[in-house]
Amino acid sequence: MNRFLLLVLSVVLPFPALANSVSDAVETSGFNQCKGQLNQVAGDVITQRAHASQDAWSPVNPDQRLYSALIAQNHPNESTQSTITMVPNSDGGCDFVTTHTAVWDKSCAEARNTSLRQNKQVGVLADRTVVIESFIQGQIIFLTPVLNDRACMVTERDVSFSTR
């Protein structure tokens, strides 16, 4: 890759950082308006398990743009990936989306009828992904069969629009 292209990419692409925690990365980012809320959400996402994150933010006006973290965690029976995307809003608050993805060692039908039975199915995406409305306000769960329906990719998404 030539030097000009590298220079252009470094100006256009967000600043990435590998960190042991989101808190470590946010301290150096300049993302101050939502720092407290980001650390709180990260604390809710990250359990006391081994984890690491790859964080990205804009090097230009970072406090006025989105901040994104992908967090990999190890659990006894699975590994998960979670994302937190947060942005300051015009009301002085912070809007954010979190997603958590894991592959469960059971079919989606079994997951739906056991672990997720108290939640309401509200639709299907692309003929295979079941959409479930969680009993947790603002949370939607997506179940996608993988490995010829022997396993299920489970993604939980939470969306929050907040004001000050």
Side-chain angles (χ1 to χ4, degrees):
M1 198 179 278
N2 69 37
R3 288 181 188 179
F4 175 73
L5 183 55
L6 284 174
L7 176 63
V8 169
L9 287 175
S10 68
V11 172
V12 175
L13 295 178
F15 184 78
L18 297 176
N20 288 330
S21 72
V22 175
S23 298
D24 293 344
V26 78
E27 286 301 319
T28 62
S29 70
F31 190 74
N32 297 314
Q33 179 177 327
C34 298
K35 181 170 39 175
Q37 191 169 0
L38 179 62
N39 284 327
Q40 180 181 353
V41 171
D44 292 342
V45 169
I46 299 170
T47 60
Q48 297 301 316
R49 310 235 187 268
H51 67 276
S53 69
Q54 191 282 328
D55 300 57
W57 60 87
S58 172
V60 178
N61 299 320
D63 207 29
Q64 298 172 9
R65 304 204 178 181
L66 71 82
Y67 186 101
S68 182
L70 183 134
I71 302 152
Q73 294 185 85
N74 297 322
H75 301 271
N77 298 325
E78 66 186 4
S79 294
T80 63
Q81 291 184 348
S82 301
T83 61
I84 303 169
T85 303
M86 188 169 288
V87 65
N89 64 32
S90 60
D91 295 330
C94 303
D95 299 336
F96 66 91
V97 176
T98 61
T99 60
H100 314 282
T101 301
V103 175
W104 290 6
D105 192 21
K106 58 174 99 177
S107 72
C108 289
E110 185 180 352
R112 174 74 186 100
N113 293 326
T114 57
S115 306
L116 301 170
R117 70 180 174 276
Q118 57 189 322
N119 300 294
K120 179 183 173 188
Q121 182 173 334
V122 293
V124 176
L125 297 175
D127 297 324
R128 291 179 44 101
T129 299
V130 174
V131 182
I132 297 173
E133 184 176 22
S134 173
F135 63 89
I136 299 170
Q137 175 135 4
Q139 184 180 76
I140 302 291
I141 302 168
F142 303 89
L143 306 177
T144 304
V146 294
L147 300 174
N148 295 318
D149 293 338
R150 292 188 316 268
C152 186
M153 181 173 60
V154 180
T155 301
E156 298 171 2
R157 183 178 72 182
D158 297 279
V159 179
S160 177
F161 301 100
S162 60
T163 58
R164 259 199 188 206

